[in-house]
Amino acid sequence: MTQETSMTGRPVISATGLFTPEQSISNDELVASFNAFVERFNAQNADAIAAGEVEALHPSSVEFIEKASGIKARHVLSKEPILDPAIMEPRLEERGNDELSQMAEIGVAACRQALERAGRDAKDVDAVLCAASNMERPYPAMAIEIQQALGIDGFGFDMNVACSSATFGIQTAADYIRAGNAKSVLVVSPEITSGHLNWRDRDSHFIFGDVATAVLVEEEAIAPAEHWDILGTKLKTVFSNNIRNNFGFLNRASPDGVGKADKLFVQEGRKVFKEVVPMVAEMIVSEADRLGIDPQGLRRLWLHQANAGMNRLIAHRVLGHEADADESPTVLDTYGNTSSAGSIIAFHLHSDDLAGGDTGLICSFGAGYSAGTVFVRKAA
Ligand code: COA
């Protein structure tokens, strides 16, 4: 597409796709494995602990996890090694250069479903944005591999805005359509978050799960009759160290694992909770105002899925009352926090029942800090 061909594209969401790994870990299984690791660590370090040189580790609890987060289970691509107290990380086989890589494989599965649901031939897609918290390698871009696997003639690139990657991807795709640079863009979020989670850290070992989502953003003129108009998008970032991962190509963990913990996900959960809830609630309300939408009239909120308590508070501030499951659906209980994919899973699984003319909000928030809102209305 060139800029001259169209200057007035109206972006819509034509369809979404979801890939869910078959394997799932319950809180019971997770805590049993974690506590076996704790027992082993404390036994192996008994003398040093008694001498006050090493701190004893404390066991995790199913009750705490569910009460503090709302998470009951999470899907993963590599269950056995994660639950093995001697390993406690995913072990995904390294693939050859001629094989489809892990992220591309699950991303392609989600994209295929979105394309099928939209009745769209991959040949008619112009671009692929791979928007996720972690990339399997620096280059070639995951998006270009996904583009090639789907047979798309166009362009692709990767983008990372942590938990807000998908909404930032949707605005980027919408802007291409608004500017006439593309008519059909796949925003794919393969989130293999089990790889950045420190499964040995009691404060966070329960948080994340693996998944892939895809959102097909298109110009209204070519979209299927059943689609969602994008009424407006808004992005915001505010620097914070409260959610951080220092892994990078300049500072790989040493082979003996020294210093490894900060090369994985680390957070000050309480601070995140306190700082992000008001920021996001304010952003939603002021963006609704800018768009002339009554926030209390929103039919459904598809919020980022990190913590049930955060969502309860944000939904209450936006809707003006305690939201029920129909107004603010949760997928966190079975998927865990899937980073940028969370609000898209919620939208994918809980939007078919809405009526033409219903207005809702897809909203993300997370590391950066970053937050994104996408107000949508079901086509009548
Ligand atoms: N099992 C049992 N107890 C645990 C535990 C576990 N796995 N982890 C922590 N605890 C204990 C703590 O030691 C603490 O005990 P203390 O009161 O005796 O000191 C107590 O539980 C409370 O810990 P805290 O970390 O303050 O819990 P919390 O209520 O803040 O919940 C989170 C923790 C992470 C679930 C919550 O802060 C959160 O979800 N924050 C937002 C996170 C977020 O959205 N991040 C974005 C990621 S992309």
Side-chain angles (χ1 to χ4, degrees):
M1 277 316 104
T2 61
Q3 207 133 356
E4 298 83 86
T5 50
S6 161
M7 285 296 291
T8 54
R10 278 178 26 118
V12 306
I13 293 177
S14 288
T16 53
L18 172 66
F19 169 82
T20 303
E22 276 171 28
Q23 300 175 339
S24 167
I25 298 177
S26 69
N27 283 346
D28 280 325
E29 292 174 302
L30 182 75
V31 167
S33 142
F34 183 87
N35 290 351
F37 152 73
V38 167
E39 235 174 77
R40 191 183 290 202
F41 177 92
N42 288 347
Q44 280 168 354
N45 294 282
D47 292 343
I49 291 169
E53 290 155 11
V54 170
E55 261 192 55
L57 297 182
H58 298 288
S60 184
S61 102
V62 171
E63 296 69 36
F64 170 83
I65 294 171
E66 201 175 326
K67 192 160 171 282
S69 70
I71 298 167
K72 296 178 186 164
R74 67 289 292 146
H75 290 274
V76 291
L77 290 171
S78 173
K79 176 171 176 171
E80 229 180 274
I82 288 172
L83 288 182
D84 183 338
I87 302 175
M88 297 180 85
E89 57 188 29
R91 288 280 161 87
L92 294 166
E93 232 172 88
E94 225 172 287
R95 294 181 174 179
N97 289 0
D98 296 330
E99 296 173 283
L100 203 57
S101 53
Q102 301 280 356
M103 277 184 69
E105 183 177 304
I106 65 171
V108 163
C111 287
R112 283 200 202 288
Q113 194 187 58
L115 292 171
E116 198 183 308
R117 283 164 63 112
R120 174 75 55 234
D121 191 323
K123 289 191 184 65
D124 298 322
V125 175
D126 302 312
V128 177
L129 311 186
C130 182
S133 283
N134 298 280
M135 295 299 160
E136 201 169 328
R137 58 169 183 263
Y139 45 81
M142 302 311 307
I144 302 176
E145 189 181 358
I146 293 169
Q147 174 199 345
Q148 146 88 9
L150 291 170
I152 292 169
D153 178 19
F155 67 93
F157 62 87
D158 295 346
M159 50 188 291
N160 174 359
V161 203
C163 287
S164 286
S165 299
T167 54
F168 276 58
I170 291 171
Q171 171 161 318
T172 305
D175 283 344
Y176 283 141
I177 286 153
R178 289 169 182 136
N181 285 321
K183 286 183 186 298
S184 178
V185 183
L186 273 166
V187 180
V188 54
S189 301
E191 291 283 12
I192 308 183
T193 59
S194 59
H196 80 177
L197 179 55
N198 184 351
W199 297 87
R200 294 183 177 81
D201 174 35
R202 178 172 173 260
D203 288 348
S204 64
H205 75 113
F206 52 87
I207 289 183
F208 288 104
D210 299 336
V211 81
T213 55
V215 182
L216 184 63
V217 182
E218 299 194 307
E219 187 181 308
E220 189 182 27
I222 67 156
E226 281 234 356
H227 64 256
W228 292 82
D229 294 324
I230 295 178
L231 305 176
T233 55
K234 177 88 179 169
L235 311 178
K236 182 178 174 78
T237 50
V238 179
F239 186 74
S240 169
N241 279 322
N242 288 332
I243 313 171
R244 191 162 172 130
N245 182 341
N246 281 335
F247 180 80
F249 78 103
L250 293 178
N251 60 10
R252 288 163 297 165
S254 56
D256 60 2
V258 173
K260 197 174 172 198
D262 81 319
K263 307 299 185 297
L264 294 164
F265 170 89
V266 179
Q267 76 165 350
E268 297 277 351
R270 279 274 159 112
K271 289 186 187 160
V272 174
F273 201 111
K274 278 199 195 123
E275 291 170 9
V276 170
V277 167
M279 180 181 102
V280 171
E282 156 63 21
M283 179 179 172
I284 294 171
V285 171
S286 63
E287 178 62 1
D289 185 49
R290 190 182 72 85
L291 295 170
I293 294 168
D294 173 12
Q296 303 202 359
L298 288 169
R299 176 64 187 83
R300 190 164 288 166
L301 307 177
W302 299 279
L303 297 179
H304 174 51
Q305 302 284 315
N307 179 288
M310 284 176 101
N311 286 7
R312 237 186 336 267
L313 286 172
I314 291 171
H316 193 290
R317 287 195 194 178
V318 172
L319 299 176
H321 62 262
E322 183 87 9
D324 60 26
D326 185 63
E327 291 170 307
S328 177
T330 299
V331 300
L332 183 68
D333 50 348
T334 53
Y335 279 89
N337 181 341
T338 48
S339 195
S340 73
S343 56
I344 308 301
I345 305 172
F347 178 74
H348 178 86
L349 295 177
H350 300 283
S351 55
D352 285 348
D353 60 313
L354 264 58
D358 279 344
T359 302
L361 167 71
I362 299 170
C363 177
S364 70
F365 40 88
Y369 296 132
S370 60
T373 58
V374 181
F375 283 89
V376 291
R377 180 168 295 149
K378 194 159 191 174

